[in-house]
Amino acid sequence: MTTEEKPTVIIPLSIADESSSQWQPIVGTETKDVIERSQLPKEAGEAIVDSAVSILSRCINPMNQQSDPNTGLVVGYVQSGKTLSFTTVMALAQDNGFGLAIVIAGISKALLDQSTNRLRKDLDIDNIEGFSCWSIFTNPTNTDSFRRAIQTDFEERCDPEVPAVESPMVLITVMKNHQHLANLVDLLRVLDLDDIPTLIIDDEADQASLNIQVNRNEVSSTYARIRELRQAIPNHTFLQYTATPQAPLLINIIDSLSPEFVEILEPGEHYVGGHKFFHDESSLVETIPQDEVINDHGDPFFEPPQSLLRALRIFVVGVTAGLIQGRSKTNPNRSMLVHPSRTTALHENFRQSLEWIFEDWRGLVKLPEGDSDRTDFIDDFQEAYDNLHKTAQNLPSFDEIISYLPRAIRKIRIEEVNSRQESGTPIISWSASYGWILVGGQAMDRGFTVEGLTVTYMSRGPGMMNVDTIQQRGRFFGYKRPYLGYCRVFLEPGVEMAFREYVTHEEEMRLQLQNWRSTNRPLSEWKRAFILSPKLRLCRRNVIQSSITRGNYANRWFIPTIVLGAGYVVETNRELVEGILKDLTFETDQGNPNREPAQTHKVKQDLSLVEIVEKLLIPLVFSSVRDTSEMTGVLLQLSHALENNEDEQCAVYLMSHNFQRVRSVDSNGKISNLFQGEFPVDPIEIRGTIYPGDRKIHKPDEVTIQIHSLDLIQDKVKIAKNVPVIAIWIPKRMEMSWATQVQSV
């Protein structure tokens, strides 16, 4: 296994003792009812409530009207239950005196309707018995009717004579669209919100909300409306929910949408994510041959790819097995997702091809036994059955499958899901059929739920290789453990590679954020450092101002470029070095007895790498943004190595301990050459026989730190004395690709 295939944990800089909570929410009736209606096992329900309490405790205190608005980031996995999380948080807010909740849900009507209907169900909003705890509005506008209705609800909520169980909390769901958001802003501006603590939920927060015009010094329309929305509400928390937080983490930390705190959601025990598919159960993933991949600009096909036919047969066998076992609440649907391209023309082509295939199959399955065409047809399904039999539990016999196959084929519906139709993206009525095949592209990416998804056929390529975009295509993740053996994922080679690489990146990022959560420090101080394959990009570039630095130190040195900066930088590093040196006993390193004083060093071996990282390398300060970013990558590599082996050792060299080295720097403090070269230089056949040069002064397979103390000159004038400079050598075995970002305000 390569180093890039294993997650790592960045070493926390400090651990705070006190809680990061602003206040302590009370779990009331509405929260308990939401969990009871979810019908989760007891421990799973308790975990959801504990998470909601942790999240809401870091939001504004509803009892303190002077609380400053704040922004939080809540990170889950794709298809892991983020909606239930923020529904529970809203219910908890209802129990604790919040008066308004706004859910920004979906960039299309279909997604908005999906989210709104889910909230109605989970919050039991349409139950007409007794007093309703919720008053819901969808895409409201600044009209007399909306103003009167909402203001009346606020008055009811604020009236001390009204029992809490009888006062409704206003819930607004709004499409993530600049016009709908503008309508909502107009409405909110004329309402009295001074005493209304508010919770704003931005679902899929990395999509459409961020400023895509930031690098043009302009403001995109949806981003502008979200800012106006926040400005219209005096007392609120803005919670960003997403499974792909890269973009919110990388936007400028002074942006109003840059999160101040982070919470990490843990999925339930039946959740299956990227690690299961791409590391543990590789037999569930198949690669679509490159010659069967149809690109976005390809001509329509008339002969379906063999890999598509294989995927269809596996799906149909699974549907047949499900029908034999009996449709029920625990087995309501089996679905297949066909994601061929981003162009709707190819969606239509694939849908028509699927219709023809099923029409052909309906005819073949009716042929008499012994017919050669029917025999070939059955043999093809035998192959699909054998494939599923390796992983699926309780699979009926092949004879049972074949006898029920005609009915199963009739009970599968094929639907094209995109905006090509005049009525817009269709809403799937899942109860109308047991088996579904959905053909589409972007409309089925982010936020779209496919019920009972077992087989995915994604011949679309990886595009720009943005990891957040690729991960959001993972509709095949979810709570599938009870029927995981029936699942198969067919992927274009580049997408399969991207998913495998993403798993390592995602797990490492979540662990870093979990550790940072425990430090009780603002998220703005977190070092933006990620394990990332050099083939991938973190996110789209149009929302990021500060540049991303890529690197991988393997059998090479990290050397700072700027060695002379502000006085406090030099003094801080000098104190660090002196603090390390006073506790260590050094010996003269071995070498040619004819070495000069500048070529003789002191060394301390067998040091704990953990201690050197914590006491010396983490606190080091750099004057250059580039050096800081590179050093962050170095720390990420070392932390990764320590996660694998906490007993890693290192060596520290005091370079030229009996000779004061002098180096030149330019007007920016940039050094021209830190390292002493080989000696002698000429003739070539004896070069380096007395001294091999500073670059070769390191242990063969351990991290090595060189500490240089330099007098610096500029234009032949000495401008600084005893300036400490640290160089770090990382062995090949610690190789790991990373991406970092350092922001300057």
Side-chain angles (χ1 to χ4, degrees):
M1 177 177 287
T2 66
T3 55
E4 289 194 12
E5 290 175 335
K6 299 174 71 175
T8 186
V9 180
I10 200 77
I11 297 174
L13 303 187
S14 65
I15 302 295
D17 293 329
E18 68 270 21
S19 169
S20 60
S21 303
Q22 296 197 43
W23 59 289
Q24 186 59 40
I26 298 172
V27 178
T29 302
E30 189 62 21
T31 306
K32 294 176 182 177
D33 287 348
V34 166
I35 297 302
E36 184 177 343
R37 284 190 291 270
S38 71
Q39 297 183 336
L40 290 171
K42 181 180 178 182
E43 290 186 1
E46 290 174 349
I48 293 288
V49 173
D50 289 344
S51 174
V53 169
S54 178
I55 292 168
L56 195 66
S57 72
R58 305 183 75 186
C59 299
I60 59 165
N61 185 341
M63 298 297 104
N64 180 8
Q65 297 302 314
Q66 304 304 314
S67 298
D68 291 330
N70 62 347
T71 304
L73 177 66
V74 184
V75 182
Y77 287 111
V78 169
Q79 300 282 84
S80 65
K82 296 186 296 297
T83 303
L84 181 58
S85 170
F86 68 68
T87 302
T88 308
V89 171
M90 289 193 303
L92 190 65
Q94 152 72 286
D95 285 333
N96 285 271
F98 281 74
L100 172 63
I102 299 172
V103 180
I104 307 173
I107 61 172
S108 68
K109 185 178 184 301
L111 290 176
L112 175 65
D113 290 344
Q114 176 181 278
S115 297
T116 302
N117 292 336
R118 172 74 184 274
L119 289 171
R120 283 185 175 276
K121 176 177 176 292
D122 290 350
L123 295 172
D124 201 23
I125 288 176
D126 297 319
N127 185 352
I128 61 173
E129 294 184 10
F131 291 92
S132 175
C133 290
W134 302 93
S135 182
I136 187 169
F137 304 88
T138 298
N139 283 338
T141 57
N142 185 18
T143 63
D144 287 342
S145 59
F146 280 120
R147 287 196 299 271
R148 282 195 300 269
I150 295 176
Q151 194 65 59
T152 299
D153 288 331
F154 287 159
E155 292 171 4
E156 188 84 349
R157 187 76 171 168
C158 296
D159 188 344
E161 300 299 321
V162 177
V165 294
E166 298 179 12
S167 60
M169 180 177 179
V170 174
L171 169 58
I172 295 174
T173 59
V174 60
M175 190 187 300
K176 195 179 294 188
N177 166 276
H178 67 94
Q179 187 56 61
H180 288 295
L181 288 166
N183 293 338
L184 177 57
V185 170
D186 289 342
L187 172 61
L188 294 175
R189 283 172 174 166
V190 299
L191 297 174
D192 182 4
L193 300 174
D194 288 341
D195 297 322
I196 307 296
T198 300
L199 196 62
I200 305 174
I201 306 290
D202 185 1
D203 193 15
E204 305 295 350
D206 60 311
Q207 182 189 35
S209 301
L210 306 179
N211 186 11
I212 61 174
Q213 302 287 341
V214 64
N215 291 309
R216 300 179 182 178
N217 292 320
E218 298 176 5
V219 177
S220 53
S221 56
T222 300
Y223 170 78
R225 301 296 86 76
I226 290 177
R227 285 203 315 186
E228 292 169 0
L229 173 68
R230 300 191 64 179
Q231 291 164 0
I233 304 172
N235 193 18
H236 74 272
T237 289
F238 189 83
L239 283 181
Q240 303 168 311
Y241 269 78
T242 182
T244 47
Q246 291 85 353
L249 289 169
L250 293 169
I251 63 174
N252 197 307
I253 58 175
I254 64 172
D255 192 300
S256 62
L257 296 189
S258 180
E260 300 159 54
F261 66 87
V262 64
E263 291 283 341
I264 305 297
L265 300 178
E266 293 296 338
E269 62 175 330
H270 290 312
Y271 180 76
V272 178
H275 199 278
K276 191 68 175 176
F277 277 102
F278 295 100
H279 285 187
D280 297 343
E281 301 285 352
S282 58
S283 60
L284 303 179
V285 180
E286 295 195 26
T287 303
I288 300 172
Q290 193 64 59
D291 61 358
E292 294 187 9
V293 175
I294 301 171
N295 62 50
D296 287 344
H297 306 291
D299 295 327
F301 66 89
F302 298 97
E303 188 69 28
Q306 288 300 309
S307 55
L308 175 61
L309 291 171
R310 189 165 66 254
L312 285 170
R313 294 186 192 106
I314 290 173
F315 171 66
V316 171
V317 171
V319 169
T320 309
L323 287 169
I324 293 172
Q325 293 159 358
R327 190 177 186 184
S328 64
K329 289 184 178 180
T330 58
N331 179 30
N333 291 104
R334 290 284 166 87
S335 303
M336 177 176 178
L337 176 60
V338 179
H339 189 157
S341 73
R342 63 179 181 81
T343 61
T344 58
L346 275 177
H347 300 169
E348 182 182 15
N349 184 203
F350 267 77
R351 180 189 57 76
Q352 289 177 341
S353 180
L354 293 173
E355 298 280 9
W356 295 334
I357 291 168
F358 272 77
E359 183 179 350
D360 185 42
W361 286 357
R362 282 190 288 270
L364 289 170
V365 79
K366 293 178 182 178
L367 293 174
E369 292 188 21
D371 185 282
S372 60
D373 288 340
R374 187 180 190 277
T375 300
D376 292 342
F377 172 76
I378 298 301
D379 288 345
D380 288 337
F381 272 86
Q382 177 73 63
E383 180 184 348
Y385 178 88
D386 293 342
N387 186 309
L388 270 185
H389 193 265
K390 298 174 184 177
T391 58
Q393 296 180 346
N394 303 319
L395 186 65
S397 70
F398 184 64
D399 288 341
E400 289 180 278
I401 293 291
I402 293 303
S403 66
Y404 207 96
L405 193 61
R407 292 188 64 188
I409 291 175
R410 290 196 299 268
K411 288 181 176 292
I412 293 174
R413 291 195 182 186
I414 301 170
E415 188 78 51
E416 187 177 340
V417 182
N418 54 37
S419 57
R420 191 173 63 84
Q421 298 89 339
E422 291 184 5
S423 58
T425 304
I427 297 175
I428 305 301
S429 178
W430 296 104
S431 61
S433 183
Y434 178 69
W436 290 88
I437 298 178
L438 307 184
V439 183
Q442 184 174 342
M444 295 191 297
D445 277 4
R446 191 183 299 266
F448 188 86
T449 300
V450 183
E451 301 289 348
L453 178 60
T454 53
V455 177
T456 297
Y457 186 86
M458 190 180 300
S459 56
R460 179 180 179 181
M464 299 298 293
M465 299 295 282
N466 292 329
V467 292
D468 54 351
T469 301
I470 290 170
Q471 182 69 347
Q472 285 291 353
R473 297 184 195 171
R475 299 299 101 191
F476 47 88
F477 301 150
Y479 288 88
K480 301 177 181 298
R481 196 169 297 276
Y483 60 93
L484 180 62
Y486 288 91
C487 295
R488 293 293 186 273
V489 182
F490 291 74
L491 298 175
E492 185 270 348
V495 173
E496 181 184 356
M497 178 279 299
F499 270 112
R500 293 189 186 280
E501 298 283 4
Y502 185 89
V503 171
T504 299
H505 163 79
E506 180 180 48
E507 293 303 320
E508 178 273 334
M509 176 179 61
R510 285 173 57 90
L511 286 170
Q512 284 197 60
L513 291 172
Q514 284 174 327
N515 282 344
W516 191 261
R517 164 69 176 87
S518 67
T519 67
N520 194 29
R521 299 174 64 182
L523 193 56
S524 60
E525 297 180 11
W526 175 63
K527 292 184 176 181
R528 272 63 174 167
F530 308 86
I531 290 178
L532 187 68
S533 165
K535 302 170 186 175
L536 303 178
R537 287 169 32 179
L538 281 166
C539 65
R540 58 201 185 281
R541 294 173 179 169
N542 60 355
V543 299
I544 299 174
Q545 283 182 301
S546 300
S547 61
I548 304 294
T549 300
R550 308 295 296 257
N552 183 352
Y553 282 91
N555 199 26
R556 57 186 280 245
W557 288 93
F558 162 75
I559 307 168
T561 57
I562 306 296
V563 298
L564 181 62
Y568 83 91
V569 174
V570 174
E571 189 57 36
T572 297
N573 291 341
R574 186 180 286 130
E575 290 177 1
L576 280 172
V577 170
E578 291 173 353
I580 289 289
L581 298 185
K582 68 181 178 63
D583 295 328
L584 299 179
T585 302
F586 288 81
E587 299 177 350
T588 301
D589 70 328
Q590 297 181 356
N592 192 302
N594 296 321
R595 288 178 297 172
E596 297 178 351
Q599 300 161 350
T600 304
H601 319 298
K602 290 279 192 178
V603 63
K604 176 64 176 175
Q605 303 185 59
D606 303 327
L607 288 167
S608 165
L609 180 59
V610 167
E611 291 189 15
I612 293 299
V613 167
E614 290 180 341
K615 295 179 180 179
L616 176 62
L617 301 186
I618 285 178
L620 272 177
V621 184
F622 297 91
S623 298
S624 160
V625 171
R626 178 75 183 187
D627 289 342
T628 302
S629 191
E630 292 277 346
M631 185 60 181
T632 301
V634 168
L635 289 173
L636 187 59
Q637 284 191 242
L638 298 182
S639 299
H640 184 87
L642 290 169
E643 178 68 14
N644 294 327
N645 178 17
E646 63 182 13
D647 297 323
E648 285 280 0
Q649 295 185 330
C650 67
V652 174
Y653 283 82
L654 298 181
M655 306 301 288
S656 301
H657 67 287
N658 286 328
F659 182 88
Q660 186 60 44
R661 289 187 174 186
V662 179
R663 293 290 186 268
S664 297
V665 294
D666 64 14
S667 58
N668 296 315
K670 183 177 181 179
I671 193 169
S672 56
N673 187 15
L674 173 66
F675 285 154
Q676 186 92 11
E678 300 165 309
F679 181 79
V681 177
D682 296 314
I684 187 67
E685 57 269 17
I686 63 169
R687 178 175 293 177
T689 53
I690 294 178
Y691 184 65
D694 288 357
R695 288 186 180 276
K696 294 185 179 179
I697 304 300
H698 61 75
K699 303 295 291 181
D701 201 37
E702 288 182 0
V703 173
T704 301
I705 292 97
Q706 291 183 358
I707 300 177
H708 300 251
S709 179
L710 306 177
D711 288 351
L712 301 178
I713 60 174
Q714 191 178 95
D715 297 329
K716 300 182 180 181
V717 176
K718 185 175 291 188
I719 58 173
K721 295 182 179 180
N722 300 322
V723 175
V725 180
I726 308 295
I728 306 166
W729 186 84
I730 299 179
K732 173 72 174 177
R733 65 184 176 86
M734 294 183 182
E735 179 178 15
M736 185 188 72
S737 296
W738 45 259
T740 65
Q741 181 198 57
V742 175
Q743 296 194 10
S744 56
V745 180

